Amino acid sequence: MAESTDRVTAAQASEVTDLDLVRLAQAGDLDAFGELVERNRRAVFRAALAAVGSPSEADDVAQEAFVTAWRKLDGFRGESQFRTWLLSITWRKAIDRRKSITRWLKLAASPSRDQAGEDMFDVMERVPSLERTQDSALESSELQTQIKKLIGTLPRKLRDALLLAGTGEHTYEEIGRMLEAPVGTVKWRVAEARRVLKRKLAAMGYSDE
Amino acid sequence: MSNHTYPRRLLDDAIDRAVHDLAQRDPRPGFRRRVLAQLNAAPPRMSWVQKVLVPAAAMAAVLILGVWLRPSPAPTQMVSTPAAVPQAPQRPPVTVPPEEAKSPPRPVREAARRIEHKREPGVQFTFGPPSQRVVATSVSNALRAPRAIDAVPTQQIADDPPAALPLIRVAPIEGPAEITLKPIEIRPIAIAPQTR
């Protein structure tokens, strides 16, 4: 398929900055916007996942975020990074989804599922195998199960900060913009979440030496 | 309850591992294709010119239509109804008593009525003798102010039988009376030189 000379080719894509792609997309270049989707899909998806807890819902939210960004692209002036702007949209969409009444009705209709999502705690497929004895592996698996359940019981502000910091895709500045909190507050929330988890684990019999 | 003791770092590592497990997931394959499919199905994005001009043009059209279709103001109707108020004979409008006029009174248009005219004592005419039109200030001699909207000449009041109270009728407003001002004559004042 012949490429248009005024479109971004695959070879050129890696050399073009996000801002250049945004300018092209603002002019109507859908391929340029597609490249922006490719570059930011993981960060957007993981941000949505931290809020809604379910991969299928996070996929929907991430798609909605990109569609909204496309519609509002003329409003992006370049004062901040495109990614930061996009993540703010994503987080708002995710929170709206989390608060939506239909979501609660779905969860209430399926009581067998975990509150955090349908396969959020599918532990047996997710726990990485460690080079331990069978007993310690089971113990580790049990510990992971407990920790994941306790993460689901954390206050939302602490849980959101902890999960966003754990995505590996977001800087503290980006997390601060999403949560509308200073960087120092975000770091405190992450540390506090870990302290709360350890206290609860200790109450369950899991403690540090 | 079984007691599990871990080295300090191990518990932190276990928490990290759980968080990464929950948070470090990827979307299903074909995410870009799904997003672009939604964008292609969505209506085309409007440029900022369209977003601003189209609503502005619509508002302008509504305003123009509203002004064009606005009904013209109707003339003021008389308040009194024929059944309630018996018709009184029409009186010719006379607004200036004869003893005050320095020149013969000019005929006044029937439609021109002097609305309630109260004269304050002790104030001089500023713009010359009174004409039958709007006067700026009061008179040198006090006058009885006519109370009715339709001014009645003094002679006619004396001739009319005093039995019934005068009827108040609200005449239609024909518009403001024409205002004419006499030009001001500035005469130099001769000042006699002072003698010591």
Side-chain angles (χ1 to χ4, degrees):
Chain A
M1 184 172 71
E3 297 279 358
S4 161
T5 53
D6 57 346
R7 298 290 178 90
V8 176
T9 62
Q12 295 166 337
S14 58
E15 300 168 0
V16 179
T17 63
D18 277 6
L19 193 58
D20 295 333
L21 291 171
V22 167
R23 296 288 177 241
L24 288 169
Q26 284 174 335
D29 187 344
L30 206 53
D31 286 343
F33 191 76
E35 181 60 27
L36 287 169
V37 171
E38 191 60 37
R39 290 185 182 187
N40 296 284
R41 63 182 179 88
R42 180 177 286 176
V44 168
F45 177 81
R46 291 182 178 182
L49 183 64
V52 298
S54 157
S56 58
E57 286 195 81
D59 199 277
D60 292 341
V61 169
Q63 287 184 52
E64 282 176 29
F66 278 111
V67 171
T68 302
W70 168 254
R71 287 188 188 137
K72 294 185 175 181
L73 206 56
D74 287 336
F76 178 72
R77 302 270 178 255
E79 292 148 355
S80 63
Q81 295 281 335
F82 170 76
R83 186 176 146 120
T84 308
W85 178 75
L86 178 62
L87 287 173
S88 298
I89 294 174
T90 305
W91 191 252
R92 278 198 299 273
K93 290 277 177 194
I95 295 302
D96 289 344
R97 174 68 72 105
R98 190 160 77 179
K99 289 179 184 174
S100 74
I101 189 69
T102 52
R103 182 172 184 263
W104 285 108
L105 289 173
K106 268 191 207 172
L107 291 172
S110 316
S112 59
R113 291 177 188 272
D114 193 277
Q115 273 189 352
E118 62 263 19
D119 53 353
M120 186 72 168
F121 298 121
D122 193 358
V123 178
M124 298 311 292
E125 293 179 7
R126 297 286 168 214
V127 174
S129 58
L130 301 170
E131 290 184 2
R132 296 179 179 219
T133 62
Q134 191 173 3
D135 288 340
S136 58
L138 282 174
E139 194 174 295
S140 177
S141 167
E142 183 188 329
L143 177 59
Q144 287 290 303
T145 306
Q146 295 298 334
I147 292 174
K148 287 178 182 177
K149 285 186 179 174
L150 290 174
I151 288 173
T153 65
L154 285 172
R156 278 187 180 164
K157 283 188 176 178
L158 301 185
R159 186 175 72 225
D160 290 344
L162 180 69
L163 292 177
L164 285 170
T167 61
E169 286 286 326
H170 309 116
T171 63
Y172 277 109
E173 286 75 21
E174 287 172 347
I175 297 171
R177 289 289 293 271
M178 280 190 271
L179 300 182
E180 294 179 352
V183 168
T185 302
V186 173
K187 289 182 178 177
W188 177 87
R189 288 180 187 174
V190 172
E192 179 65 13
R194 300 177 74 90
R195 281 192 290 269
V196 170
L197 284 174
K198 284 187 182 177
R199 276 201 299 271
K200 292 189 176 186
L201 285 169
M204 294 168 70
Y206 298 93
S207 58
D208 286 344
E209 280 180 345
Chain B
M1 180 174 65
S2 59
N3 208 8
H4 307 268
T5 307
Y6 297 88
R8 182 174 293 275
R9 190 62 204 161
L10 212 58
L11 208 52
D12 285 319
D13 288 346
I15 292 172
D16 288 340
R17 202 158 50 242
V19 168
H20 292 171
D21 236 15
L22 294 173
Q24 291 188 8
R25 308 269 288 264
D26 288 339
R28 288 182 291 116
F31 182 82
R32 176 177 178 167
R33 178 178 42 81
R34 290 196 296 278
V35 170
L36 293 179
Q38 285 202 40
L39 296 182
N40 283 323
R45 203 157 44 88
M46 284 200 298
S47 68
W48 71 269
V49 173
Q50 286 173 305
K51 282 182 197 172
V52 170
L53 287 184
V54 168
M59 274 177 59
V62 167
L63 281 171
I64 291 169
L65 208 62
V67 169
W68 186 43
L69 293 176
R70 187 181 61 184
S72 54
T76 309
Q77 300 296 325
M78 290 185 59
V79 174
S80 60
T81 59
V85 177
Q87 293 292 329
Q90 291 290 331
R91 297 166 188 161
V94 175
T95 56
V96 180
E99 64 268 16
E100 206 177 81
K102 291 186 183 172
S103 56
R106 298 179 204 164
V108 180
R109 287 187 303 169
E110 280 223 8
R113 301 270 189 258
R114 182 187 283 177
I115 319 250
E116 202 166 278
H117 182 77
K118 225 176 196 179
R119 294 175 182 268
E120 300 283 344
V123 181
Q124 302 296 326
F125 278 116
T126 306
F127 298 106
S131 63
Q132 299 303 319
R133 302 187 184 271
V134 175
V135 292
T137 55
S138 60
V139 299
S140 57
N141 299 324
L143 276 181
R144 273 181 310 188
R147 292 295 173 192
I149 298 298
D150 287 356
V152 178
T154 329
Q155 189 59 35
Q156 191 162 354
I157 290 174
D159 292 341
D160 283 344
L165 290 172
L167 299 170
I168 298 175
R169 234 178 283 139
V170 178
I173 297 173
E174 298 281 340
E178 190 180 328
I179 299 173
T180 54
L181 299 175
K182 196 174 177 182
I184 300 171
E185 288 179 17
I186 300 173
R187 297 181 190 130
I189 301 172
I191 301 174
Q194 287 184 352
T195 55
R196 298 194 180 204

